Short mmCIF file of all heavy atoms in Angstrom, two decimals:
data_model
loop_
_atom_site.label_atom_id
_atom_site.label_comp_id
_atom_site.label_asym_id
_atom_site.label_seq_id
_atom_site.Cartn_x
_atom_site.Cartn_y
_atom_site.Cartn_z
N SER A 17 5.91 -2.47 1.83
CA SER A 17 6.95 -3.45 1.52
C SER A 17 6.82 -3.84 0.06
O SER A 17 5.80 -3.56 -0.58
CB SER A 17 6.84 -4.68 2.43
OG SER A 17 5.59 -5.33 2.24
N ARG A 18 7.83 -4.52 -0.45
CA ARG A 18 7.79 -4.93 -1.85
C ARG A 18 8.42 -6.30 -1.98
O ARG A 18 9.32 -6.67 -1.20
CB ARG A 18 8.52 -3.91 -2.75
CG ARG A 18 10.01 -3.79 -2.52
CD ARG A 18 10.56 -2.59 -3.28
NE ARG A 18 10.39 -2.74 -4.72
CZ ARG A 18 10.41 -1.74 -5.58
NH1 ARG A 18 10.58 -0.48 -5.14
NH2 ARG A 18 10.24 -1.96 -6.87
N ASP A 19 7.93 -7.02 -2.96
CA ASP A 19 8.49 -8.32 -3.32
C ASP A 19 8.85 -8.24 -4.79
O ASP A 19 7.97 -8.37 -5.65
CB ASP A 19 7.46 -9.43 -3.04
CG ASP A 19 8.03 -10.82 -3.29
OD1 ASP A 19 9.03 -10.94 -4.01
OD2 ASP A 19 7.45 -11.76 -2.73
N ASN A 20 10.11 -8.03 -5.07
CA ASN A 20 10.51 -7.85 -6.45
C ASN A 20 10.36 -9.12 -7.28
O ASN A 20 10.18 -9.06 -8.49
CB ASN A 20 11.96 -7.35 -6.51
CG ASN A 20 12.09 -5.91 -6.06
OD1 ASN A 20 11.10 -5.15 -6.06
ND2 ASN A 20 13.28 -5.52 -5.64
N ALA A 21 10.40 -10.25 -6.63
CA ALA A 21 10.21 -11.51 -7.36
C ALA A 21 8.77 -11.65 -7.84
O ALA A 21 8.51 -12.33 -8.84
CB ALA A 21 10.58 -12.69 -6.47
N LYS A 22 7.85 -11.02 -7.14
CA LYS A 22 6.43 -11.08 -7.51
C LYS A 22 5.93 -9.80 -8.17
O LYS A 22 4.74 -9.67 -8.44
CB LYS A 22 5.58 -11.39 -6.27
CG LYS A 22 5.86 -12.76 -5.66
CD LYS A 22 4.94 -13.02 -4.48
CE LYS A 22 5.16 -14.41 -3.90
NZ LYS A 22 4.28 -14.69 -2.74
N ASN A 23 6.83 -8.83 -8.33
CA ASN A 23 6.46 -7.55 -8.93
C ASN A 23 5.29 -6.90 -8.18
O ASN A 23 4.36 -6.35 -8.80
CB ASN A 23 6.10 -7.70 -10.40
CG ASN A 23 7.29 -8.04 -11.27
OD1 ASN A 23 8.44 -7.99 -10.81
ND2 ASN A 23 7.04 -8.39 -12.52
N THR A 24 5.34 -6.98 -6.89
CA THR A 24 4.21 -6.54 -6.08
C THR A 24 4.67 -5.68 -4.91
O THR A 24 5.69 -5.96 -4.29
CB THR A 24 3.42 -7.75 -5.55
OG1 THR A 24 2.95 -8.52 -6.67
CG2 THR A 24 2.23 -7.31 -4.73
N VAL A 25 3.89 -4.65 -4.65
CA VAL A 25 4.10 -3.81 -3.47
C VAL A 25 2.88 -3.96 -2.58
O VAL A 25 1.76 -4.16 -3.04
CB VAL A 25 4.35 -2.34 -3.87
CG1 VAL A 25 3.13 -1.75 -4.54
CG2 VAL A 25 4.76 -1.52 -2.67
N TYR A 26 3.13 -3.88 -1.26
CA TYR A 26 2.07 -4.09 -0.29
C TYR A 26 1.97 -2.88 0.65
O TYR A 26 2.94 -2.17 0.87
CB TYR A 26 2.35 -5.32 0.56
CG TYR A 26 2.57 -6.59 -0.23
CD1 TYR A 26 3.86 -7.02 -0.54
CD2 TYR A 26 1.49 -7.33 -0.67
CE1 TYR A 26 4.06 -8.19 -1.27
CE2 TYR A 26 1.69 -8.50 -1.40
CZ TYR A 26 2.98 -8.92 -1.70
OH TYR A 26 3.17 -10.06 -2.43
N LEU A 27 0.77 -2.71 1.19
CA LEU A 27 0.58 -1.72 2.25
C LEU A 27 -0.15 -2.44 3.38
O LEU A 27 -1.29 -2.85 3.23
CB LEU A 27 -0.24 -0.53 1.78
CG LEU A 27 -0.42 0.57 2.80
CD1 LEU A 27 0.91 1.29 3.06
CD2 LEU A 27 -1.47 1.59 2.36
N GLN A 28 0.55 -2.60 4.47
CA GLN A 28 -0.03 -3.24 5.65
C GLN A 28 -0.55 -2.15 6.58
O GLN A 28 0.23 -1.30 7.03
CB GLN A 28 1.02 -4.10 6.37
CG GLN A 28 0.53 -4.76 7.64
CD GLN A 28 -0.52 -5.83 7.37
OE1 GLN A 28 -0.37 -6.64 6.45
NE2 GLN A 28 -1.58 -5.84 8.18
N MET A 29 -1.81 -2.22 6.86
CA MET A 29 -2.45 -1.21 7.73
C MET A 29 -3.01 -1.89 8.96
O MET A 29 -3.84 -2.79 8.85
CB MET A 29 -3.55 -0.48 6.97
CG MET A 29 -3.06 0.21 5.70
SD MET A 29 -4.35 1.14 4.85
CE MET A 29 -5.35 -0.21 4.21
N ASN A 30 -2.53 -1.49 10.11
CA ASN A 30 -2.97 -2.04 11.38
C ASN A 30 -3.71 -0.99 12.19
O ASN A 30 -3.54 0.20 11.96
CB ASN A 30 -1.76 -2.56 12.16
CG ASN A 30 -1.00 -3.64 11.43
OD1 ASN A 30 -1.59 -4.47 10.74
ND2 ASN A 30 0.30 -3.66 11.59
N SER A 31 -4.49 -1.46 13.12
CA SER A 31 -5.23 -0.56 14.03
C SER A 31 -5.98 0.51 13.24
O SER A 31 -5.89 1.70 13.53
CB SER A 31 -4.28 0.09 15.03
OG SER A 31 -3.60 -0.89 15.79
N LEU A 32 -6.72 0.07 12.26
CA LEU A 32 -7.41 1.02 11.38
C LEU A 32 -8.47 1.80 12.13
O LEU A 32 -9.10 1.30 13.08
CB LEU A 32 -8.03 0.27 10.21
CG LEU A 32 -7.03 -0.15 9.12
CD1 LEU A 32 -7.62 -1.25 8.25
CD2 LEU A 32 -6.62 1.05 8.31
N LYS A 33 -8.65 3.03 11.69
CA LYS A 33 -9.62 3.94 12.29
C LYS A 33 -10.61 4.37 11.21
O LYS A 33 -10.29 4.34 10.02
CB LYS A 33 -8.91 5.16 12.85
CG LYS A 33 -7.83 4.84 13.86
CD LYS A 33 -7.06 6.09 14.26
CE LYS A 33 -5.96 5.77 15.24
NZ LYS A 33 -5.19 6.98 15.63
N PRO A 34 -11.80 4.82 11.60
CA PRO A 34 -12.76 5.30 10.60
C PRO A 34 -12.18 6.39 9.70
O PRO A 34 -12.54 6.46 8.52
CB PRO A 34 -13.91 5.83 11.46
CG PRO A 34 -13.86 4.96 12.69
CD PRO A 34 -12.40 4.76 12.95
N GLU A 35 -11.29 7.20 10.24
CA GLU A 35 -10.70 8.27 9.41
C GLU A 35 -9.72 7.75 8.37
O GLU A 35 -9.23 8.52 7.55
CB GLU A 35 -10.02 9.32 10.30
CG GLU A 35 -9.06 8.77 11.33
CD GLU A 35 -9.73 8.60 12.69
OE1 GLU A 35 -10.88 8.13 12.75
OE2 GLU A 35 -9.05 8.90 13.71
N ASP A 36 -9.43 6.47 8.41
CA ASP A 36 -8.61 5.85 7.36
C ASP A 36 -9.44 5.45 6.15
O ASP A 36 -8.91 4.97 5.15
CB ASP A 36 -7.87 4.62 7.91
CG ASP A 36 -6.85 4.97 8.96
OD1 ASP A 36 -6.11 5.95 8.77
OD2 ASP A 36 -6.78 4.26 9.99
N THR A 37 -10.75 5.65 6.25
CA THR A 37 -11.62 5.35 5.12
C THR A 37 -11.28 6.23 3.94
O THR A 37 -11.22 7.46 4.05
CB THR A 37 -13.09 5.57 5.52
OG1 THR A 37 -13.46 4.61 6.52
CG2 THR A 37 -14.01 5.41 4.32
N ALA A 38 -11.01 5.60 2.79
CA ALA A 38 -10.59 6.33 1.60
C ALA A 38 -10.46 5.36 0.45
O ALA A 38 -10.50 4.14 0.63
CB ALA A 38 -9.25 7.03 1.84
N VAL A 39 -10.27 5.93 -0.72
CA VAL A 39 -9.82 5.14 -1.86
C VAL A 39 -8.31 5.19 -1.85
O VAL A 39 -7.72 6.26 -1.80
CB VAL A 39 -10.38 5.68 -3.19
CG1 VAL A 39 -9.81 4.87 -4.36
CG2 VAL A 39 -11.90 5.64 -3.19
N TYR A 40 -7.71 4.02 -1.88
CA TYR A 40 -6.26 3.92 -1.84
C TYR A 40 -5.72 3.62 -3.23
O TYR A 40 -6.26 2.77 -3.94
CB TYR A 40 -5.84 2.84 -0.86
CG TYR A 40 -5.98 3.27 0.59
CD1 TYR A 40 -7.22 3.39 1.18
CD2 TYR A 40 -4.85 3.58 1.35
CE1 TYR A 40 -7.36 3.82 2.50
CE2 TYR A 40 -4.97 4.00 2.68
CZ TYR A 40 -6.23 4.12 3.24
OH TYR A 40 -6.35 4.54 4.54
N TYR A 41 -4.65 4.32 -3.58
CA TYR A 41 -4.03 4.17 -4.89
C TYR A 41 -2.57 3.80 -4.74
O TYR A 41 -1.86 4.39 -3.92
CB TYR A 41 -4.10 5.48 -5.67
CG TYR A 41 -5.48 5.99 -5.97
CD1 TYR A 41 -6.16 6.81 -5.07
CD2 TYR A 41 -6.13 5.66 -7.16
CE1 TYR A 41 -7.42 7.28 -5.33
CE2 TYR A 41 -7.39 6.13 -7.44
CZ TYR A 41 -8.04 6.94 -6.53
OH TYR A 41 -9.30 7.40 -6.80
N CYS A 42 -2.11 2.87 -5.54
CA CYS A 42 -0.68 2.66 -5.60
C CYS A 42 -0.15 3.45 -6.79
O CYS A 42 -0.89 3.82 -7.70
CB CYS A 42 -0.32 1.18 -5.72
SG CYS A 42 -0.73 0.39 -7.26
N ALA A 43 1.15 3.70 -6.76
CA ALA A 43 1.78 4.52 -7.79
C ALA A 43 3.21 4.08 -7.98
O ALA A 43 3.81 3.48 -7.08
CB ALA A 43 1.72 5.99 -7.38
N ALA A 44 3.77 4.44 -9.14
CA ALA A 44 5.14 4.07 -9.46
C ALA A 44 5.84 5.20 -10.17
O ALA A 44 5.22 5.94 -10.95
CB ALA A 44 5.15 2.81 -10.32
N ASP A 45 7.13 5.29 -9.93
CA ASP A 45 7.96 6.26 -10.63
C ASP A 45 9.41 5.80 -10.52
O ASP A 45 9.79 5.14 -9.54
CB ASP A 45 7.80 7.65 -10.02
CG ASP A 45 8.28 8.74 -10.95
OD1 ASP A 45 9.49 8.98 -10.98
OD2 ASP A 45 7.44 9.31 -11.67
N LEU A 46 10.21 6.17 -11.48
CA LEU A 46 11.62 5.82 -11.42
C LEU A 46 12.35 6.56 -10.30
O LEU A 46 13.39 6.11 -9.83
CB LEU A 46 12.29 6.09 -12.77
CG LEU A 46 11.95 5.13 -13.89
CD1 LEU A 46 12.47 5.64 -15.22
CD2 LEU A 46 12.53 3.75 -13.60
N SER A 47 11.81 7.69 -9.88
CA SER A 47 12.47 8.52 -8.86
C SER A 47 11.80 8.34 -7.50
O SER A 47 10.58 8.49 -7.37
CB SER A 47 12.42 9.98 -9.26
OG SER A 47 12.75 10.83 -8.17
#
């Protein structure tokens, strides 16, 4: 999700599993 008023994007992760272990990166592009 994103909140353009706060210039912020979110990633909500539920029911996490051990295989979700990772380094998470956000990214941006005009396209």
Side-chain angles (χ1 to χ4, degrees):
S17 62
R18 66 190 297 159
D19 185 339
N20 288 339
K22 295 182 177 180
N23 291 351
T24 301
V25 64
Y26 305 97
L27 184 69
Q28 178 67 44
M29 301 184 289
N30 300 324
S31 301
L32 284 162
K33 304 174 182 179
E35 50 264 42
D36 295 316
T37 295
V39 177
Y40 284 73
Y41 298 88
C42 70
D45 198 277
L46 286 170
S47 166

